[in-house]
Amino acid sequence: MQRTEMCISEMRFSVVVVAMLLGVFAVGCSDAIQVITEPAGQVTVAEGQRNVNLLCIVEEPMDFCIVKVPGAPAPFAASDKLPAPVEGIKFYGLGWSKGSCGITIDTIKPTHDGPFECTVSVKGQTYKGQIDITVSVAPEPPKIELASNVDSRNGEFEFGKKVTMKCVSRDGWPGAKLSWYLDGVRLTDDVGAEYSETFNRRTTVEQIYRRAIAVEDNRKQVTCRAEHPAYPGGFMETSLPIKLKKVYTNDKQPAQKEDLTELVKPKAPKMTVSSEVAQQNGAFKAGSELVVQCISRDGNPPAGFLWFLNDQLIYEGLSAPFVSKNFRGNTVQQTLTYRLKAADDGKTLICKARHPQGSEETRLKISTYN
């Protein structure tokens, strides 16, 4: 008799689980019950990290709890009475009768990157919770690049001249956080906004810094630091030594080659929004910072930029233009940081690339929400 009751109980449980997976139960529309997740909302973990707990809690006993785990072939019941059907995962929590269900991931793998979801049933209504799992991937070591229009032959700089440099951290997840130092002292002036591009859950971050070289800078080092949770110790650095060029007192300075290359009109400029800027259906939040980059490629000489918001010329929030050169010509990029106002809704941001062979522009229509 006891064995028969156990079989019936297991059958009922199986029917509930199957019904849940087939969507028979309606998703609860009441706001009375809220699924609380621990960690709340999102968690960043490293590949190889051990014993990561993901928990869903409600205030009342659960009828059942189904979880969907990134990398798992299908949803499954998270229960202290049933073994998890996925290797390396076990039940975590106080149990359904206590309104608690979750899992422990034994070892984090790249496939665990993505949303963890729990669907719980309480009194015939279902409710959902979610934790976004980010499996951090260490970016390439940061690099400092000098603008090609900076005269730094033999690694020497002329004091008083402006030096434009760019730090790049490629292919991390999430993107690295960049900062600049001069002999260990953090730099804040003349540092442009971080610009990020994300593709296939890999982010490249870059930032431009401009400095007028002073006599006292001789033998110092400019350092770019990239902070990321997947780096040993939390960060990596790269440095550029500053050496002052000798001053010639006999007025016989080394001759410089003239650029006799023909004029080449650059390609039409392109403007892109940083992947770190929050958007809702293409609209930006009023009061937030809009970070955009304008790029003009393959021109000779390099193009110059003018920025407008409708007919208003923009001066503030612009980083120094960064110029790089190859056999096709000069590529120029510049980053704009602009704090959006509600009144900017419907306006147009314009980046105009000026060149002796003619000017072209690119536009971004701005929509805002509160």
Side-chain angles (χ1 to χ4, degrees):
M1 182 66 179
Q2 187 175 6
R3 181 177 179 82
T4 301
E5 290 177 353
M6 290 176 60
C7 290
I8 292 174
S9 177
E10 290 176 2
M11 287 175 63
R12 286 175 178 168
F13 177 80
S14 299
V15 169
V16 169
V17 172
V18 172
M20 175 57 205
L21 296 178
L22 293 177
V24 172
F25 287 92
V27 175
C29 57
S30 170
D31 294 330
I33 294 180
Q34 180 182 3
V35 179
I36 299 171
T37 62
E38 295 180 1
Q42 60 182 8
V43 62
T44 299
V45 293
E47 184 178 353
Q49 187 170 331
R50 302 294 306 275
N51 297 323
V52 174
N53 299 323
L54 307 169
L55 184 64
C56 295
I57 304 171
V58 292
E59 295 179 349
E60 300 185 32
M62 301 175 179
D63 302 324
F64 60 82
C65 173
I66 303 295
V67 296
K68 183 179 179 181
V69 183
F76 58 89
S79 169
D80 55 343
K81 303 187 185 310
L82 293 172
V86 180
E87 185 178 357
I89 293 178
K90 59 185 178 182
F91 177 80
Y92 174 73
L94 299 177
W96 296 358
S97 63
K98 303 287 187 180
S100 169
C101 74
I103 61 166
T104 296
I105 301 176
D106 178 62
T107 304
I108 292 293
K109 301 176 182 177
T111 54
H112 292 134
D113 190 277
F116 163 84
E117 297 177 355
C118 62
T119 302
V120 301
S121 173
V122 178
K123 297 179 180 178
Q125 294 288 326
T126 57
Y127 307 87
K128 289 191 175 184
Q130 180 171 308
I131 303 171
D132 291 322
I133 306 172
T134 298
V135 180
S136 60
V137 176
E140 297 176 10
K143 293 182 178 179
I144 293 178
E145 302 173 2
L146 282 174
S148 60
N149 57 349
V150 174
D151 183 11
S152 60
R153 286 169 294 176
N154 302 319
E156 297 178 334
F157 302 94
E158 195 170 329
F159 73 87
K161 294 292 182 70
K162 291 278 189 179
V163 175
T164 305
M165 57 192 79
K166 177 174 66 174
C167 184
V168 183
S169 169
R170 291 185 171 88
D171 296 336
W173 185 250
K177 179 69 177 175
L178 304 181
S179 52
W180 293 84
Y181 297 83
L182 181 65
D183 269 12
V185 178
R186 183 161 185 172
L187 303 169
T188 55
D189 294 336
D190 298 316
V191 175
E194 283 188 356
Y195 178 82
S196 302
E197 278 190 319
T198 300
F199 177 73
N200 198 24
R201 296 180 81 84
R202 294 292 182 271
T203 299
T204 293
V205 184
E206 57 184 50
Q207 190 175 50
I208 293 173
Y209 172 63
R210 194 180 191 197
R211 183 176 187 82
I213 301 299
V215 174
E216 57 268 24
D217 291 337
N218 191 34
R219 300 183 182 278
K220 292 183 178 180
Q221 290 195 107
V222 174
T223 299
C224 173
R225 173 180 293 183
E227 299 178 38
H228 195 274
Y231 280 146
F235 66 91
M236 290 189 72
E237 295 180 339
T238 183
S239 297
L240 176 71
I242 297 176
K243 294 186 292 184
L244 287 185
K245 189 180 298 184
K246 293 180 180 179
V247 178
Y248 294 87
T249 57
N250 57 3
D251 295 327
K252 293 182 179 180
Q253 299 189 17
Q256 298 185 18
K257 294 182 180 180
E258 296 184 7
D259 188 358
L260 302 178
T261 308
E262 64 177 338
L263 294 176
V264 178
K265 186 178 180 179
K267 297 176 181 177
K270 291 185 177 181
M271 184 162 45
T272 54
V273 179
S274 170
S275 60
E276 295 301 306
V277 176
Q279 300 185 45
Q280 285 187 8
N281 300 319
F284 309 103
K285 184 173 177 60
S288 66
E289 284 197 339
L290 177 66
V291 181
V292 295
Q293 188 176 83
C294 192
I295 300 181
S296 168
R297 299 185 185 277
D298 303 339
N300 192 59
F305 290 137
L306 286 176
W307 294 76
F308 298 87
L309 190 61
N310 282 359
D311 297 325
Q312 181 181 357
L313 186 63
I314 296 176
Y315 294 101
E316 296 184 1
L318 291 169
S319 71
F322 187 86
V323 183
S324 56
K325 187 173 184 178
N326 58 28
F327 67 93
R328 289 186 293 269
N330 297 277
T331 293
V332 189
Q333 65 185 76
Q334 188 173 38
T335 304
L336 167 70
T337 306
Y338 178 78
R339 186 166 293 279
L340 289 164
K341 300 179 282 291
D344 293 327
D345 185 59
K347 293 183 178 180
T348 300
L349 181 66
I350 303 169
C351 173
K352 178 177 287 188
R354 299 191 301 174
H355 191 268
Q357 294 293 87
S359 298
E360 291 195 61
E361 61 186 39
T362 181
R363 294 169 170 249
L364 175 67
K365 187 78 170 181
I366 294 176
S367 298
T368 63
Y369 66 92
N370 292 317

